[in-house]
Amino acid sequence: MKVFMAAMSMIQSKPLLPCCNSFLQQQNYWPRLAEPLGFSVVEMILLAALVVASLGMFAYRLWPIARNVLHAKKDVGFKFAPVGRRVWVFVWEVLCQAKVIRQRPLPGVAHAFVFWGFLAFALVSLNHMATGVRLGFLQHVGYVGTFYFWFAAVWALLVAISIAGLFWRRFVSRPKWLGEKVSVESGVIAGLIFVLMVSYLAAFFVSDDGMAVKALWWTHTLALLVFLPLIPHTKHLHLVLSPLTVFLKREQFAEIPKLDEAEDAEDFGLLAGKDVTQIVALQAYSCVECGRCTEHCPAATTGKVLNPKEIVLGVRTYLNEFGVKSDVPLLNEMRDAKANPSPDNPAANYLSMEAAFECTTCGACEFQCPVGVQHLPMIVGMRRGAVNTGAWEDKYGTKLFLALEKQGNALGLSSMERDKFIEKQAFPIFDGSQEYCLWLGCMGGYDPKGREIIADFARVMRHLGTSFGVLRKEKCTGDPARRLGNDLVFGSLAEQGLKAFEQAKVKKIVAICPHCVRTIATDWREYGVAPEIEHHSEFMARFADKLPKQSGETIAYHDPCYLGRYRDVYDEPRAVVKNAGELVEAERNRERSFCCGAGGGLAFLGEETGERVSHVRAQELIATGAKTIGTACPFCNTMFKDALGAMGGERSPQLLDIAQLTARALPETRAVE
């Protein structure tokens, strides 16, 4: 050890670039970081006591949080594999701060500078504290020490500017997404970070032997020691937890976890504190309260009760108040629990039944979150707890579940209606010899507009010479039941669907509905592996060069949530649209696209409160000035059809699915009733 220390001393005291270093010193041009020449025994004892007190207070305040996370219920089916992917996501989202910057560039860059500055300062901070007990390891002479102190100085300047800008944004300009109540402690921490940076920079302009350097050194030290114990009870807890949250988050986007099926387990979803899992608890404590989820939530922006940030913070508040072993319900019947406090409806529980069932499951909140919080498993988990125990009572929901159980489709129509449609279109029945099984789904088999889309897509397949057939009997994938939290109905439909595919010897499936594609490909995995399935936009894009080229017409394409954010399919439908005319982008497009309002089972739950989500999105599409609105989901098509009809006006654009855009240029077109 002595040999190593001697070698390091020689390296740092002997400049690697002696001519340059000597010149700069002679010219007195290169300011050097000043640190006190020495510390008395009393000062060292005081420093040690303050460090122990700061660390002790930090641990004391962090322990209840860590205890809740560690003592929470284990996540069923959680596995680290694939570790390589987790490492890549960690590097990209945490170290590179990619999501922070990409989705909100200006404040994102400021946050990234603060984060990178903390990393750059790690070695300087350790050396700073070590210097106070005469164990400093970075020397102020030589190339290594000079370079690193100046490297940290550059970051100190960037952090100081960034934290000042973020302070101004949070406490002065105050975008509404940050919320009405702003944490005072957050402002104190921002001030401490600013003091840390300024006191470090100021030390470059004082001498080692004056009183100023001691004052700056202790100012920097005290700011650091006060900063540490404030972290656990503020939004800055994400500095500690978010790297772990990002690394451990569920692999699939909007993944709904399996219920515990052990004999001694009573798992109905997120019903109470005892049902909160470790990942849910960790994510609740990691929320940075930035409001990105709220800003992009279709419910929150159209006047609904739901605010995804408040859902996450509500879980955090619940855990702090009741813990992870509590039987107190997570959801209240009323929005304001204080209006009717009771043992079953405590004032400290800020989550509401109304809010949980206003979610369209569009995934915008989860996609936007920079610290790895996955909102949808929380919200759907609460729905599961309410539905599976009968706590949620809704006449439209009850009607939907009965329709799925008795008729096998969300519209509650007789299967004979589907049979008549198949016969009218002369669709062949899948017998195992065809290349594709054409999945109709509830909308394609029963909804008039959905039938038009299916009929036109079938014409496209025939034009391409692709053989296909439809199942003789087909039931809903269970998507609305799954998103609303009815596991019993969903499980039954999934098992019947898998059995139907197996009996028909289906190998490949193509569907017009992104909801069906997601549910069959991902959600059915709990019950078995379904055949390969793709969306009709992916199918048509693959054969784009064989489809007729059209020109002249402007088409505004709407990205469906379950095709875009859920499956990362953006370019394929655009390739199909470009074949049919001139693509025009709405203001919010691709991963930032605004929901149509139909997802999460809401298409079947009656009138929504506040401004209609579909009307907001339809207005955005109309504002492009395009002659036609292009969709790639039958639910989106239906929602926009109603919205355009309600808005009225002769100048309303035409509404067509991408299959219809393509089929209209094919020979021998015919309308379908």
Side-chain angles (χ1 to χ4, degrees):
M1 186 65 181
K2 291 181 179 179
V3 174
F4 173 77
M5 294 300 292
M8 287 299 295
S9 178
M10 290 177 63
I11 291 173
Q12 294 182 343
S13 62
K14 186 175 182 180
L16 297 181
L17 296 175
C19 60
C20 297
N21 196 63
S22 176
F23 172 78
L24 292 172
Q25 289 177 352
Q26 289 174 12
Q27 299 298 316
N28 196 27
Y29 179 75
W30 194 262
R32 181 175 62 82
L33 178 71
E35 287 193 341
L37 296 176
F39 293 87
S40 66
V41 174
V42 173
E43 286 177 312
M44 289 192 290
I45 292 174
L46 177 61
L47 175 62
L50 290 174
V51 169
V52 170
S54 179
L55 291 173
M57 185 62 70
F58 172 78
Y60 175 78
R61 301 187 81 185
L62 183 64
W63 171 241
I65 296 168
R67 182 179 57 207
N68 273 337
V69 174
L70 294 173
H71 291 178
K73 183 180 176 181
K74 302 288 184 182
D75 286 85
V76 178
F78 174 81
K79 56 179 184 284
F80 281 102
V83 176
R85 184 182 180 279
R86 291 188 181 277
V87 171
W88 165 246
V89 171
F90 178 86
V91 170
W92 183 244
E93 294 188 11
V94 177
L95 298 184
C96 296
Q97 295 281 285
K99 183 177 281 191
V100 174
I101 297 171
R102 183 181 180 186
Q103 297 304 324
R104 198 181 270 178
L106 190 58
V109 168
H111 276 100
F113 279 157
V114 174
F115 173 76
W116 293 328
F118 267 77
L119 296 183
F121 248 78
L123 201 58
V124 170
S125 296
L126 288 174
N127 179 74
H128 178 89
M129 304 305 290
T131 300
V133 290
R134 302 175 185 173
L135 294 175
F137 50 87
L138 283 176
Q139 303 299 320
H140 296 120
V141 293
Y143 178 76
V144 175
T146 300
F147 168 77
Y148 198 84
F149 283 127
W150 272 94
F151 172 74
V154 172
W155 282 108
L157 182 61
L158 290 173
V159 171
I161 295 171
S162 297
I163 203 68
L166 293 172
F167 180 89
W168 179 273
R169 181 174 182 271
R170 180 168 285 269
F171 289 91
V172 181
S173 62
R174 295 183 63 175
K176 63 179 180 179
W177 315 117
L178 296 178
E180 296 179 2
K181 184 180 179 181
V182 181
S183 169
V184 176
E185 282 186 319
S186 297
V188 172
I189 284 185
L192 289 172
I193 294 173
F194 187 79
V195 170
L196 282 170
M197 300 302 110
V198 171
S199 60
Y200 177 79
L201 291 170
F204 280 87
F205 302 97
V206 298
S207 62
D208 290 336
D209 55 358
M211 291 296 295
V213 68
K214 268 285 180 76
L216 287 172
W217 192 93
W218 277 106
T219 299
H220 189 91
T221 301
L222 292 174
L224 186 62
L225 295 179
V226 171
F227 171 78
L228 193 61
L230 287 178
I231 291 175
H233 285 189
T234 69
K235 71 184 188 66
H236 291 85
L237 182 60
H238 77 278
L239 295 172
V240 178
L241 297 184
S242 63
L244 187 62
T245 304
V246 171
F247 183 77
L248 294 177
K249 67 180 179 179
R250 297 178 184 87
E251 182 183 359
Q252 289 284 339
F253 181 82
E255 180 180 344
I256 301 173
K258 292 180 62 176
L259 296 178
D260 190 349
E261 297 178 352
E263 292 184 5
D264 58 342
E266 292 186 356
D267 192 356
F268 300 105
L270 294 181
L271 184 63
K274 61 184 176 58
D275 303 306
V276 173
T277 67
Q278 290 180 326
I279 288 180
V280 170
L282 179 63
Q283 292 181 358
Y285 282 114
S286 298
C287 178
V288 69
E289 304 178 34
C290 64
R292 296 190 189 199
C293 54
T294 305
E295 179 182 358
H296 294 271
C297 174
T301 55
T302 55
K304 314 294 190 293
V305 173
L306 173 63
N307 182 334
K309 182 176 77 171
E310 289 183 359
I311 291 287
V312 178
L313 295 180
V315 174
R316 178 196 295 181
T317 301
Y318 178 99
L319 294 178
N320 287 337
E321 181 73 17
F322 302 106
V324 292
K325 302 299 180 183
S326 175
D327 288 319
V328 174
L330 279 163
L331 293 180
N332 291 311
E333 287 293 342
M334 300 179 64
R335 180 183 183 184
D336 184 6
K338 295 180 182 179
N340 185 25
S342 70
D344 295 326
N345 191 28
N349 185 356
Y350 301 109
L351 303 169
S352 78
M353 190 83 72
E354 181 183 0
F357 284 90
E358 286 181 337
C359 176
T360 66
T361 66
C362 70
C365 53
E366 187 169 320
F367 181 86
Q368 287 290 334
C369 184
V371 292
V373 176
Q374 295 172 302
H375 306 70
L376 292 179
M378 290 189 197
I379 295 173
V380 174
M382 293 174 194
R383 289 179 169 187
R384 286 170 127 178
V387 171
N388 292 336
T389 59
W392 182 59
E393 296 180 358
D394 182 89
K395 63 179 182 180
Y396 294 105
T398 300
K399 181 180 178 181
L400 170 64
F401 297 149
L402 287 174
L404 291 171
E405 285 184 278
K406 294 182 177 181
Q407 304 297 342
N409 66 84
L411 280 70
L413 299 175
S414 169
S415 60
M416 293 180 62
E417 296 297 319
R418 178 180 178 274
D419 295 340
K420 293 177 182 177
F421 170 64
I422 291 173
E423 183 179 354
K424 182 176 182 179
Q425 294 297 325
F427 288 157
I429 301 300
F430 188 86
D431 59 12
S433 64
Q434 300 98 328
E435 184 178 0
Y436 281 93
C437 172
L438 175 58
W439 179 264
L440 303 187
C442 298
M443 300 300 286
Y446 298 94
D447 179 71
K449 187 64 177 178
R451 287 178 172 180
E452 293 179 13
I453 298 170
I454 280 286
D456 280 335
F457 178 59
R459 291 181 54 232
V460 172
M461 295 185 76
R462 285 169 173 151
H463 172 78
L464 294 171
T466 304
S467 61
F468 69 92
V470 299
L471 293 179
R472 187 178 299 278
K473 298 294 180 181
E474 179 190 281
K475 292 191 175 183
C476 178
T477 63
D479 164 70
R482 176 66 157 174
R483 312 302 159 194
L484 285 171
N486 194 323
D487 291 284
L488 183 63
V489 171
F490 169 71
S492 174
L493 291 170
E495 289 174 343
Q496 292 178 64
L498 286 167
K499 186 176 181 180
F501 285 144
E502 183 181 7
Q503 290 177 341
K505 299 180 180 180
V506 175
K507 300 298 182 184
K508 290 195 292 185
I509 312 165
V510 64
I512 65 168
C513 180
H515 295 255
C516 294
V517 175
R518 161 70 185 206
T519 306
I520 291 173
T522 302
D523 296 270
W524 280 16
R525 289 178 186 171
E526 288 186 26
Y527 303 91
V529 179
E532 175 187 344
I533 184 169
E534 67 178 339
H535 187 250
H536 73 314
S537 66
E538 298 169 285
F539 174 88
M540 289 190 290
R542 199 163 55 251
F543 299 103
D545 58 335
K546 297 181 179 179
L547 296 175
K549 299 290 190 295
Q550 307 169 57
S551 60
E553 183 179 0
T554 53
I555 305 169
Y557 172 67
H558 164 76
D559 287 281
C561 304
Y562 274 68
L563 184 62
R565 283 185 288 268
Y566 274 75
R567 284 180 58 81
D568 198 31
V569 175
Y570 298 107
D571 296 329
E572 290 85 344
R574 282 173 169 76
V576 178
V577 170
K578 289 176 181 177
N579 254 353
E582 179 185 349
L583 173 65
V584 177
E585 295 285 9
E587 181 179 355
R588 289 188 275 194
N589 59 75
R590 301 182 78 91
E591 68 271 7
R592 297 171 73 91
S593 178
F594 198 69
C595 182
C596 75
L602 266 63
F604 308 102
L605 293 190
E607 291 294 317
E608 60 186 270
T609 59
E611 191 175 9
R612 293 183 68 87
V613 174
S614 58
H615 289 201
V616 172
R617 183 54 173 171
Q619 287 282 14
E620 292 180 353
L621 295 168
I622 292 171
T624 64
K627 298 297 183 183
T628 301
I629 295 175
T631 63
C633 171
F635 282 105
C636 296
N637 202 296
T638 296
M639 297 299 286
F640 294 148
K641 179 184 177 182
D642 293 342
L644 293 173
M647 292 175 186
E650 298 179 358
R651 297 183 179 180
S652 293
Q654 187 179 20
L655 178 66
L656 295 173
D657 183 86
I658 56 173
Q660 296 175 293
L661 289 172
T662 302
R664 66 185 180 180
L666 298 178
E668 300 178 5
T669 59
R670 65 187 181 90
V672 179
E673 296 179 0

